[in-house]
Amino acid sequence: MNAAHRIVVLHGGPGVANLAGDTRYFRPLTNDGFDVYVYDQVGSGHSGRLTDPTHYTLDRDVADLEAIRRTIGARTVSLVGNSYGALLAAAYMARYGSQVSRAVFASPTDLDPKQFGASTFNRLSNSQLRGLFGRLIRPRTLLDYTLLQVNPRAAHNFAGDAEMDARFDKIYRQSAPALHCKKASLGTVPTGLGFYANAFPQSAAAKRHGDFRPALRRVATPALVIKGSCDYVSWSSGVGYVRALPHATLEYVHNAGNDLYHDQPATVLGLIRAFLGGRQLPQQLYSGTAKPSDYQGPK
């Protein structure tokens, strides 16, 4: 198999692994002659947990992705990143641009380091918020989260991975409706998530990643950016990728939230298959960069 036909799928979160779901969804790409690699990023899913939560960084995830490329023996790879996975793909390209043949950014996290961590709260109903807050403000959970902001190692010693990962699974399930359009089926919500892999990078104790948009402007890799009409992440986040990458195309999918693969599986997979195969996209769903009138997320 030619190295250019190797695809690596990058899940979101951080810390929200879905190995079974992503494997099932992207398996049809193997019928097009691609080798597809799906993995759980460190600190989530079936991957190991770190004893020091301060080591959960974007730089660490970039280094792990490079190690995966070397391990599979690929000179170049195509990357498909969802949400945080899109940010990881962009950070990798900023450092190893010549090693990425094509890149897909689905519901991408904002490239601006000052904007990291969009809130799902505006996509939840009042009753859903009450249930979520009721779980978040439980004393032990609240104490661990507060401790994480000032002393991550102490927080990890106070409440370990098994306990906090189990709590995170329940919290994620309660917030899952925010990832979809209203009244959409949630399907199978992933479990085995990584609390510290998710929470530390967004904590007050974490150092924000640098601004790698200038480096991306020198990357000639063809890129596809996909945004759904019900995404909780700002519209400008997707536009930021288009402006940073010289050869990027923006596609807009109606009736799809942040979890594009689940909400509009056939449409999104069709776009990805055509793009990665170097074919004309099956439909031009949107042109331009102005916020669509039916976009439900923030500007």
Side-chain angles (χ1 to χ4, degrees), residues 53-54 142-156 195-196 198-206:
T54 64
L142 188 59
L143 177 57
D144 185 73
Y145 180 79
T146 302
L147 193 56
L148 183 66
Q149 309 309 305
V150 294
N151 193 330
R153 295 179 184 88
H156 190 257
F195 171 77
Y196 287 105
N198 176 270
F200 170 73
Q202 303 179 74
S203 72

Side-chain angles (χ1 to χ4, degrees), residues 181-246:
C181 293
K182 299 294 184 182
K183 300 181 180 179
S185 168
L186 301 185
T188 302
V189 179
T191 58
L193 312 185
F195 171 77
Y196 287 105
N198 176 270
F200 170 73
Q202 303 179 74
S203 72
K207 181 181 178 181
R208 296 291 173 255
H209 65 79
D211 188 351
F212 42 80
R213 286 173 291 184
L216 289 178
R217 295 187 180 103
R218 299 189 292 271
V219 175
T221 301
L224 173 65
V225 182
I226 312 176
K227 288 284 285 183
S229 61
C230 307
D231 194 358
Y232 71 88
V233 183
S234 69
W235 176 255
S236 62
S237 66
V239 173
Y241 283 73
V242 175
R243 290 176 175 167
L245 291 157

Side-chain angles (χ1 to χ4, degrees), residues 7 21-34 36 265 269 273:
I7 299 169
D22 287 347
T23 299
R24 183 169 54 251
Y25 183 76
F26 288 103
R27 181 175 286 117
L29 293 175
T30 63
N31 297 327
D32 297 343
F34 295 110
V36 182
L269 187 61
R273 292 179 86 164

Side-chain angles (χ1 to χ4, degrees), residues 9-10 13 16-17 62 98 120 157 174 181 200 206 232 252 299:
V9 177
L10 307 172
V16 181
V62 168
S98 63
T120 60
N157 289 334
Q174 287 187 262
C181 293
F200 170 73
Y232 71 88
Y252 183 58
K299 294 181 180 180

Side-chain angles (χ1 to χ4, degrees), residues 5-111:
H5 292 113
R6 296 181 182 179
I7 299 169
V8 181
V9 177
L10 307 172
H11 67 72
V16 181
N18 188 7
L19 189 66
D22 287 347
T23 299
R24 183 169 54 251
Y25 183 76
F26 288 103
R27 181 175 286 117
L29 293 175
T30 63
N31 297 327
D32 297 343
F34 295 110
D35 283 345
V36 182
Y37 296 84
V38 181
Y39 72 100
D40 293 341
Q41 295 156 27
V42 67
S44 63
H46 298 284
S47 289
R49 271 54 172 171
L50 303 178
T51 56
D52 184 349
T54 64
H55 292 167
Y56 291 120
T57 64
L58 182 60
D59 283 343
R60 166 64 189 256
D61 288 338
V62 168
D64 286 348
L65 176 54
E66 171 61 4
I68 288 171
R69 182 194 67 81
R70 291 170 180 260
T71 298
I72 65 178
R75 186 180 63 81
T76 63
V77 293
S78 291
L79 300 177
V80 178
N82 172 245
S83 193
Y84 170 78
L87 181 69
L88 170 55
Y92 181 86
M93 290 169 63
R95 191 173 303 177
Y96 301 106
S98 63
Q99 293 165 358
V100 181
S101 53
R102 287 180 176 266
V104 177
F105 305 96
S107 304
T109 294
D110 206 307
L111 286 170

